[in-house]
Amino acid sequence: MIHSETILVLDFGSQYSQLIARRVRELGVYSELHPHSISIENIRKLNPKGIILSGGPSSVYEENAPYCSPEIFQMGIPVLGICYGLQMIAYQLGGKIDPSAKREYGRAEVVFDDASDLFAGIEGNKTTVWMSHGDHLTKLPNGFERIAHSDNSPICAIRNKEKKMFGVQFHPEVVHTEKGKEILSNFLFRICRCNGNWNAGSFIEKEKEEIRAIVGTQNVICALSGGVDSSVLAVLLHEAIGDQLYCIHINNGLMRKDESEYVVKLYRDTYRFNLDYVDASEIFLAKLKAVTDPEQKRKIIGNTFIEIFDNEAHKIGNVGFLAQGTLYPDVIESTSFRGPSHKIKTHHNVGGLPERMKLKLIEPFRELFKDEVRAVGRTLGMPEELILRHAFPGPGLAVRIIGDITKEKCNLLREVDAIFVSEIHKAGIYQTLWQAFAVLLPVQTVGVMGDQRTYENVAALRAVTSLDGMTADWAPLPHELLAKISGRIVNEVRGINRVVYDISSKPPSTIEWE
């Protein structure tokens, strides 16, 4: 889709790069994240209103440090460098960067030397920001002036007013920078002169028109899992093309408790979709028998899903397209932005289709973050309880059962998970959590129930808070709530005699266990 105004974010390896793009969109301006090595030709095609250079772990004076093309600084487009981005602007334009005598991580107080343009509208002459750097700027490049400083960074923000080039040593995109939103807003609207017309409503109308034009009279098939992404996708497609949409729900035996019944009832009875329900649980479980490697599990599930989906698709006539709920983070994580690709997991919904399917892909959410998909769902009038459901991994319970997969283990984990989530709902904190789920461990421990000795399984509970899933903190659930949940699980789920709570953050851990 072509956008009337775009802010281009160049990624230099910062853990916050996606967050910059999200913050820009939250302010009503469409943004795209691209590798720092993007060509000038491709930048011109995007025709951005402004460019933001992200932070990164490198030092600009190191051998093989990442650089963008210096031609960017000659294009007449406003530029904002953040942390490493500031240092790279200065270094490439003749400034000097040196290691700091004292590295600066965490909160710091920044004093404004000039409170116009980038810092306009911020009360007082100082603010609290988030720092994360070991180098600092010691000599300004020609044409630049200092506009802010801190105790540890004599040059904390810079400006070339004529060329509309700015740099800040801190991170305005993180919530710890108190006036970060105002600083980014000033760059977008005062400096780049953006209008701010990016929202769920404008996205829906443009996307529906585009879908109709692409599909024509052909039918579209969509894998409907019941999660947020596939559900919002199906409703959007149905509004666009009506009965040309055929949804297929495959029960792989790895779903949450009563998930398939919920999906069939909602989309057949409420939305009146063309919905094909396939119970393939025995097929999946047979193929997963004795498999313990997480990546192998994912591949088996992905390949089996495609085989069954392909068979079902052939029963529907005039099918030309497959719709997928691929999100922007899926696209980013499956692309090498930071040198050699380091995939955390296999994304089974990103990439090509088996040639035999001979279908074209429709991925309306390929440019959207999760919170934007939820906003689309709300605008489409979907129920809030569905919109706010926690994410569920594509391979389902297979990545929440450590070790081999059996029907008995799946049933066990379903019951544990249902108790955990129901108590989170009752406590009124479900919507404050990014995810909450249970994991079945390949460990058995001794317990005592009544007068009998038991030797049964251990369940781990995991609840995290997050803004975007890229980083996450473990949620400090009340001890009384954890005690109630543990008591219910041990008493009601035969086969579990011990419950533990995961207090690991991401990083260094991942949110899911596998």
Side-chain angles (χ1 to χ4, degrees):
M1 184 187 291
I2 297 172
H3 300 275
S4 59
E5 55 182 25
T6 298
I7 293 294
L8 172 62
V9 180
L10 297 190
D11 182 11
F12 291 89
S14 170
Q15 62 178 318
Y16 303 131
S17 295
Q18 281 199 39
L19 194 54
I20 300 169
R22 288 186 69 249
R23 291 287 180 258
V24 171
R25 293 191 187 188
E26 286 169 6
L27 288 164
V29 180
Y30 179 73
S31 64
E32 284 192 15
L33 179 63
H34 285 268
H36 64 272
S37 55
I38 184 174
S39 68
I40 289 295
E41 292 73 23
N42 284 332
I43 292 177
R44 289 197 177 104
K45 286 178 187 175
L46 287 168
N47 190 29
K49 296 272 283 187
I51 298 174
I52 299 178
L53 311 179
S54 84
S58 303
S59 293
V60 292
Y61 47 77
E62 289 177 344
E63 189 177 354
N64 299 321
Y67 297 119
C68 62
S69 170
E71 291 180 67
I72 285 174
F73 308 129
Q74 311 302 324
M75 296 178 73
I77 298 171
V79 177
L80 171 64
I82 294 175
C83 197
Y84 179 87
L86 169 145
Q87 295 168 13
M88 195 194 56
I89 292 172
Y91 190 74
Q92 291 207 62
L93 297 179
K96 192 169 182 347
I97 308 295
D98 290 305
S100 301
K102 178 185 174 185
R103 293 187 299 176
E104 196 170 17
Y105 297 100
R107 288 181 174 83
E109 189 173 78
V110 164
V111 178
F112 304 142
D113 301 301
D114 186 320
S116 63
D117 42 52
L118 198 61
F119 302 131
I122 299 175
E123 291 184 11
N125 70 334
K126 58 188 177 182
T127 188
T128 299
V129 302
W130 186 260
M131 295 283 196
S132 179
H133 66 100
D135 297 330
H136 64 171
L137 177 60
T138 54
K139 180 191 170 205
L140 286 165
N142 289 336
F144 282 80
E145 59 185 318
R146 184 183 83 173
I147 55 174
H149 65 276
S150 71
D151 288 343
N152 196 50
S153 296
I155 306 174
C156 195
I158 61 174
R159 171 183 66 193
N160 184 319
K161 201 161 191 174
E162 182 184 349
K163 294 187 175 181
K164 295 185 178 179
M165 292 172 58
F166 297 80
V168 293
Q169 187 59 71
F170 54 87
H171 289 271
E173 71 274 22
V174 304
V175 294
H176 309 299
T177 295
E178 291 181 353
K179 299 297 180 181
K181 183 177 180 180
E182 288 84 348
I183 293 168
L184 289 173
S185 179
N186 283 334
F187 178 69
L188 299 179
F189 302 111
R190 287 177 175 269
I191 297 164
C192 298
R193 300 294 179 185
C194 292
N195 295 314
N197 54 9
W198 167 255
N199 57 55
S202 63
F203 168 84
I204 289 168
E205 292 312 310
K206 288 179 183 176
E207 200 62 41
K208 279 159 62 172
E209 288 177 18
E210 197 168 305
I211 289 167
R212 291 188 194 108
I214 292 170
V215 170
T217 59
Q218 290 185 294
N219 291 327
V220 177
I221 55 173
C222 172
L224 184 57
S225 69
V228 175
D229 304 333
S230 68
S231 297
V232 177
L233 171 65
V235 172
L236 174 66
L237 288 166
H238 194 257
E239 286 208 359
I241 59 174
D243 286 342
Q244 287 173 255
L245 172 67
Y246 288 81
C247 294
I248 300 172
H249 175 72
I250 298 173
N251 180 358
N252 59 9
L254 304 164
M255 314 288 285
R256 287 174 281 205
K257 187 177 181 181
D258 300 328
E259 183 85 354
S260 291
E261 291 84 350
Y262 169 80
V263 171
V264 172
K265 182 173 177 57
L266 178 64
Y267 294 101
R268 273 189 186 163
D269 299 351
T270 304
Y271 283 105
R272 306 288 180 183
F273 284 2
N274 294 320
L275 177 61
D276 181 14
Y277 169 64
V278 184
D279 185 354
S281 53
E282 297 299 330
I283 297 172
F284 279 88
L285 292 173
K287 291 196 175 188
L288 287 167
K289 187 176 180 180
V291 177
T292 59
D293 178 74
E295 192 67 9
Q296 191 63 21
K297 288 179 189 177
R298 290 177 182 273
K299 288 178 180 176
I300 289 170
I301 292 165
N303 291 336
T304 306
F305 179 87
I306 289 171
E307 288 172 13
I308 295 170
F309 197 79
D310 189 26
N311 290 336
E312 295 301 313
H314 278 100
K315 299 176 185 177
I316 303 166
N318 192 33
V319 176
F321 297 88
L322 168 66
Q324 288 191 156
T326 308
L327 302 188
Y328 197 33
D330 297 331
V331 176
I332 293 168
E333 288 184 13
S334 297
T335 306
S336 177
F337 273 28
R338 303 171 179 88
S341 179
H342 186 103
K343 292 186 183 178
I344 295 172
K345 60 187 178 184
T346 300
H347 289 283
H348 65 272
N349 63 334
V350 177
L353 296 168
E355 289 185 12
R356 67 178 182 275
M357 291 190 78
K358 293 182 169 51
L359 297 177
K360 296 174 184 175
L361 273 179
I362 292 181
E363 298 175 304
F365 302 153
R366 194 177 176 86
E367 297 176 341
L368 301 189
F369 289 102
K370 189 83 172 186
D371 55 334
E372 292 172 325
V373 173
R374 288 192 165 108
V376 169
R378 286 191 184 94
T379 306
L380 290 169
M382 296 177 69
E384 196 73 3
E385 65 179 46
L386 176 58
I387 295 301
L388 292 174
R389 287 190 87 188
H390 290 174
F392 189 64
L397 299 182
V399 294
R400 293 179 179 175
I401 296 173
I402 313 303
D404 66 314
I405 311 294
T406 66
K407 186 175 183 178
E408 293 70 29
K409 287 181 179 179
C410 290
N411 289 336
L412 203 63
L413 183 56
R414 265 189 278 271
E415 295 301 323
V416 173
D417 190 71
I419 290 172
F420 184 29
V421 174
S422 70
E423 290 297 335
I424 293 291
H425 273 293
K426 286 178 189 175
I429 59 174
Y430 181 85
Q431 293 180 15
T432 68
L433 302 172
W434 178 262
Q435 273 179 270
F437 58 89
V439 178
L440 187 64
L441 304 185
V443 176
Q444 290 184 312
T445 66
V446 174
V448 178
M449 292 187 179
D451 294 325
Q452 292 187 330
R453 178 184 183 276
T454 62
Y455 192 61
E456 294 179 336
N457 296 282
V458 179
L461 305 181
R462 177 84 157 137
V464 299
T465 58
S466 178
L467 290 173
D468 52 16
M470 300 306 295
T471 61
D473 292 321
W474 63 275
L477 299 185
H479 292 177
E480 297 80 6
L481 176 60
L482 288 172
K484 183 180 181 183
I485 293 167
S486 175
R488 278 198 62 191
I489 291 170
V490 171
N491 286 313
E492 297 177 29
V493 184
R494 188 177 293 276
I496 301 289
N497 70 355
R498 192 178 299 271
V499 177
V500 297
Y501 188 59
D502 182 348
I503 58 169
S504 309
S505 294
K506 175 187 179 182
S509 302
T510 53
I511 294 177
E512 298 285 347
W513 277 44
E514 287 197 350

